[in-house]
Amino acid sequence: MRRFLATVGIASLLISTAARADCTDDAMIVFDGSGSMAEMGFNQIDEPRIFEARRAMRTVMPQVEPFRRIGLIVYGPGGAGGVGECSGIELRFGPRADAAKAVISAVENLQPEGRTALTEAVALAAKTLGAPEKPGTVVLVTDGKETCGGQTCALAAQLSGTGLVVHVIGFKVRGEHFGWLSEGETDYVSSVSVAQCLATQTGGEYVGAETVDELVDAMNRTLGCNLLF
């Protein structure tokens, strides 16, 4: 019996270590700061997405920061008018310990504008993490569309098999057409981001979120430790 319990104990330790290993790689959050994060009203959104995203970040970041080094890229703000609206991609900081305050501050002070260059932003995150030489995790928070001509699924194919895992959180993703006659009961509120292929091809997870609580859960699942969340 003692030998059996000892074996179980060792097995449990190995499972615990394996689970923790999933959350120790450096990570980059790629955060959507484009103009659509300020939308509300007609799209069945009672307040701008950015307000809820701020509340979610205040909750989740202190929970996940103990488990890994985290960096931040924001895309959207900072690009000039016209074509330059796609140039607003900013590496705020690379992976570092105790990143919660810095991430929260960046999102709190973010004023959404510009377009959605999510593909180029993820590519920058991969480069920052040292892919393909080093493993790492990217968590993309987006409200859906690539609007800067990036070939999202081509990038996914390039990253496949490199050891880089991309998780995609589709936050209040909306379809192209609102169904007035059906009171919105169309794919308008159940659409999936074009970035889903980034998760599919790199072994990551695609998570849809409509509420602050769902966004917190999604961030915990993708940034936190699987053993605990």
Side-chain angles (χ1 to χ4, degrees), residues 206-224:
Y206 180 90
V207 187
E210 280 290 315
T211 67
V212 173
D213 288 343
E214 289 176 354
L215 183 55
V216 168
D217 287 345
M219 295 292 291
N220 271 328
R221 285 169 60 180
T222 55
L223 268 182

Side-chain angles (χ1 to χ4, degrees), residues 54-69:
R54 288 169 180 159
R55 293 200 292 273
M57 289 297 183
R58 289 195 294 267
T59 299
V60 76
M61 288 309 302
Q63 297 174 5
V64 299
E65 74 166 3
F67 301 110
R68 67 165 96 223
R69 302 197 313 159

Side-chain angles (χ1 to χ4, degrees), residues 37-112:
M37 288 291 283
E39 289 178 350
M40 62 177 292
F42 73 93
N43 50 15
Q44 296 184 309
I45 295 177
D46 295 332
E47 63 179 336
R49 292 178 178 92
I50 189 63
F51 290 0
E52 294 182 293
R54 288 169 180 159
R55 293 200 292 273
M57 289 297 183
R58 289 195 294 267
T59 299
V60 76
M61 288 309 302
Q63 297 174 5
V64 299
E65 74 166 3
F67 301 110
R68 67 165 96 223
R69 302 197 313 159
I70 299 172
L72 177 67
I73 289 173
V74 174
Y75 62 88
V83 177
E85 287 184 343
C86 288
S87 65
I89 301 171
E90 183 180 357
L91 172 61
R92 295 294 180 93
F93 51 88
R96 69 192 203 190
D98 304 319
K101 289 183 178 179
V103 172
I104 292 169
S105 177
V107 175
E108 289 284 346
N109 292 297
L110 181 64
Q111 299 301 317

Side-chain angles (χ1 to χ4, degrees), residues 1-193:
M1 177 63 71
R2 288 180 179 177
R3 181 177 297 178
F4 172 76
L5 292 176
T7 302
V8 171
I10 293 172
S12 297
L13 177 61
L14 292 174
I15 292 171
S16 173
T17 302
R20 287 186 182 276
D22 290 339
C23 62
T24 56
D25 290 340
D26 285 351
M28 291 294 299
I29 298 172
V30 179
F31 189 85
D32 190 342
S34 64
S36 56
M37 288 291 283
E39 289 178 350
M40 62 177 292
F42 73 93
N43 50 15
Q44 296 184 309
I45 295 177
D46 295 332
E47 63 179 336
R49 292 178 178 92
I50 189 63
F51 290 0
E52 294 182 293
R54 288 169 180 159
R55 293 200 292 273
M57 289 297 183
R58 289 195 294 267
T59 299
V60 76
M61 288 309 302
Q63 297 174 5
V64 299
E65 74 166 3
F67 301 110
R68 67 165 96 223
R69 302 197 313 159
I70 299 172
L72 177 67
I73 289 173
V74 174
Y75 62 88
V83 177
E85 287 184 343
C86 288
S87 65
I89 301 171
E90 183 180 357
L91 172 61
R92 295 294 180 93
F93 51 88
R96 69 192 203 190
D98 304 319
K101 289 183 178 179
V103 172
I104 292 169
S105 177
V107 175
E108 289 284 346
N109 292 297
L110 181 64
Q111 299 301 317
E113 63 178 351
R115 299 174 69 182
T116 307
L118 67 84
T119 305
E120 188 173 346
V122 170
L124 177 58
K127 180 179 179 181
T128 303
L129 287 168
E133 287 76 19
K134 294 173 58 179
T137 298
V138 174
V139 177
L140 169 65
V141 180
T142 178
D143 61 17
K145 305 175 183 67
E146 160 70 56
T147 62
C148 290
Q151 300 299 307
T152 310
C153 294
L155 175 63
Q158 292 174 20
L159 296 176
S160 177
T162 64
L164 184 80
V165 176
V166 182
H167 301 292
V168 180
I169 301 174
F171 183 49
K172 292 185 180 291
V173 177
R174 295 294 181 259
E176 295 292 336
H177 304 290
F178 178 72
W180 290 106
L181 297 179
S182 58
E183 297 183 352
E185 295 178 2
T186 66
D187 65 352
Y188 185 71
V189 293
S190 59
S191 293
V192 174
S193 170

